[in-house]
Amino acid sequence: MKPGNSKEDIRRKVREAREAYPLESVQKDSHIICEKLIAMKEYREASHVFLYMASPHEVDASAILKDALESGKKVYIPRVILMGVMEFYRIFDETDVEIGSFGIREPVEGTPLAQVKEGFMVMPGIAFDQNLRRIGYGGGYYDRYLEHVQEGAIYRIALAFDFQVFSSLPADDWDIPIDGIITPTRTILR
């Protein structure tokens, strides 16, 4: 698949490809991707893990959530607090989430706000490229959150299916690059 010139065109094309991707393949590929991430030195050494909750047809990171909690890592999940703004909250168990903004699971009310902005972050996205650029869903939530994080304090990894990775993507000045991408067949690291 060749992307068009605009981010919106790329988002539309990748969404269509994701929706056409069989759910059995989503689960099989998600398992492979999670195993690769869990084996990473940077993840194993991290005590703070920032993790997204997957929507349908997105790489399912629940195996990472389970491993992080069982390993005694401090786990943080995002919750939308205002349009365009999210914060991460600490969860202690897989049941500390409920359906929230955009139909995505978020931490339940009363979970503590993350007091740290350092560690290992697993990021969602629509499209990625070999230069470690990321196109998100268009709300700028992660870019806004990360602009308040000291450079290098959070190691940022994206999980993607192979068809979500392109040779090159358009980027804006405010787009914050990632440190790596994991797909079922390859790992691209800075």
Side-chain angles (χ1 to χ4, degrees), residues 11-153:
R11 285 185 184 105
R12 184 182 48 75
K13 288 178 180 180
V14 174
R15 276 191 186 105
E16 288 170 3
R18 263 195 348 199
E19 287 173 18
Y21 203 53
L23 288 177
E24 307 83 51
S25 298
V26 169
Q27 288 307 308
K28 182 180 126 246
D29 287 352
S30 293
H31 176 76
I32 293 166
I33 292 166
C34 288
E35 293 273 315
K36 288 169 75 171
L37 183 135
I38 289 168
M40 287 182 71
K41 175 181 179 263
E42 293 85 354
Y43 167 78
R44 288 192 324 269
E45 292 178 354
S47 55
H48 300 280
V49 175
F50 298 79
L51 188 61
Y52 71 90
M53 301 301 287
S55 60
H57 301 284
E58 200 168 33
V59 174
D60 180 359
S62 58
I64 300 165
L65 173 62
K66 183 176 175 146
D67 180 81
L69 289 168
E70 288 176 356
S71 301
K73 298 178 185 299
K74 292 178 178 141
V75 178
Y76 308 95
I77 304 294
R79 180 169 60 217
V80 173
I81 55 172
L82 297 168
M83 188 53 84
V85 180
M86 70 177 185
E87 286 290 346
F88 281 85
Y89 293 82
R90 183 167 180 202
I91 64 166
F92 300 88
D93 188 81
E94 293 175 67
T95 60
D96 288 345
V97 294
E98 62 189 2
I99 299 299
S101 301
F102 309 108
I104 298 170
R105 292 170 292 158
E106 295 183 340
V108 296
E109 288 292 327
T111 53
L113 181 67
Q115 298 300 310
V116 298
K117 287 195 176 187
E118 62 183 35
F120 189 95
M121 180 178 281
V122 182
M123 298 175 66
I126 288 283
F128 310 92
D129 74 13
Q130 296 172 4
N131 299 309
L132 299 173
R133 287 188 290 249
R134 167 187 171 272
I135 293 179
Y137 292 86
Y141 289 91
Y142 278 84
D143 290 321
R144 274 190 210 91
Y145 183 83
L146 289 168
E147 72 184 8
H148 300 291
V149 173
Q150 182 180 349
E151 180 67 33

